Amino acid sequence: MIKIGRNDPCPCGSGKKYKKCCYNDAEKNSKIERAQKKAETKEDLIKFINEKIAVYVFKVELISMFVRQKDFEWDKNGIWRIIEIKGDQTLSDFHMAIQNAFNWDNDHMYSFFLSNKKWDRMTEYSGNPIEAEGDDLEIRDMGLRVSKKIKYLFDYGDELEHEIQLKRIMEEPDLTILYPRIIKENGTAPLQYGDYDE
Ligand SMILES: [Zn+2]
């Protein structure tokens, strides 16, 4: 954490005083405040302000669930989606992207386990359809490295279990694209509630 006085030069480099520059611009100021929290030195501060927002490319694979759908055949190459998400999007945005990718109904609790171990409370971020612990945890602040695995569990009763793996990190987003998005998929997911119990 580094302190910036209101009378100090604005860290954006404009040459104006901070209080007469980015301090008054909500968007620019939130970027500065974020950098300020992360930075230990002046150099870091500038680095974090100029930081590009990377895109994280994850493979999300459904590895088990209770299938109620009659005659459902599990794709032999797996049921998975490749999802791109921006570093400044949050874990709960990621949850919604997964819900959409597999056509789940977002009607139950869920958890991410960062250690990839189911029910590991120490690394758990959970949520329900209304609110989530990961609401303000940005993907870029999770310290993720390529090949990192994470467990995503949806519905503690039926336990729809997904394994997530970070495949690559791209330095900057394509500005013409709305993230998160699915770039590749394999296998049709079973219907969450099957087709014969309604
Ligand atoms: Zn400024």
Side-chain angles (χ1 to χ4, degrees):
M1 172 89 190
I2 203 161
K3 206 171 145 36
I4 312 168
R6 295 177 65 234
N7 286 308
D8 289 346
C10 188
C12 77
S14 65
K16 293 181 203 160
K17 284 185 178 180
Y18 179 39
K19 70 176 178 191
K20 298 212 163 164
C21 189
C22 297
Y23 188 77
N24 301 308
D25 182 317
E27 198 177 315
K28 286 179 181 165
N29 199 43
S30 77
K31 215 172 156 186
I32 289 175
E33 281 178 345
R34 179 191 141 77
Q36 197 185 348
K37 273 185 210 134
K38 290 179 74 181
E40 300 290 337
T41 63
K42 289 265 182 207
E43 290 80 46
D44 273 357
L45 181 69
I46 305 300
K47 205 176 79 192
F48 288 129
I49 289 172
N50 291 329
E51 180 182 59
K52 285 175 185 153
I53 298 167
V55 174
Y56 292 72
V57 185
F58 292 99
K59 180 178 182 182
V60 182
E61 179 162 11
L62 178 67
I63 54 174
S64 77
M65 70 177 278
F66 178 59
V67 179
R68 300 179 174 85
Q69 198 176 331
K70 215 184 343 182
D71 304 325
F72 181 81
E73 270 185 57
W74 201 279
D75 194 295
K76 63 182 190 313
N77 295 313
I79 300 169
W80 50 262
R81 312 287 179 253
I82 307 286
I83 298 175
E84 290 181 339
I85 187 164
K86 271 168 66 200
D88 62 347
Q89 294 180 306
T90 66
L91 208 48
S92 58
D93 294 328
F94 195 18
H95 152 72
M96 279 314 300
I98 297 171
Q99 290 290 311
N100 294 330
F102 291 91
N103 286 320
W104 308 140
D105 278 341
N106 191 27
D107 53 354
H108 292 279
M109 296 278 296
Y110 68 88
S111 289
F112 288 93
F113 299 98
L114 305 192
S115 61
N116 197 28
K117 291 190 194 98
K118 196 161 78 175
W119 304 122
D120 172 20
R121 300 290 184 206
M122 298 296 288
T123 69
E124 180 180 21
Y125 283 87
S126 63
N128 58 50
I130 318 279
E131 57 179 342
E133 278 173 44
D135 267 341
D136 53 6
L137 180 63
E138 296 182 11
I139 303 292
R140 60 181 167 179
D141 288 335
M142 291 170 61
L144 301 176
R145 300 223 174 133
V146 172
S147 85
K148 167 75 182 167
K149 287 183 177 173
I150 296 169
K151 184 85 64 197
Y152 171 77
L153 191 67
F154 170 56
D155 186 344
Y156 303 159
D158 281 346
E159 294 201 5
L160 281 67
E161 195 174 335
H162 308 65
E163 187 170 271
I164 298 172
Q165 186 170 32
L166 180 58
K167 291 306 206 182
R168 60 182 182 277
I169 301 174
M170 300 188 301
E171 261 182 41
E172 50 188 313
D174 179 337
L175 298 177
T176 64
I177 281 161
L178 199 59
Y179 296 95
R181 66 161 179 172
I182 300 168
I183 55 163
K184 207 172 171 191
E185 55 189 300
N186 189 77
T188 305
L191 296 167
Q192 192 179 327
Y193 295 109
D195 53 9
Y196 60 96
D197 63 346
E198 293 175 48

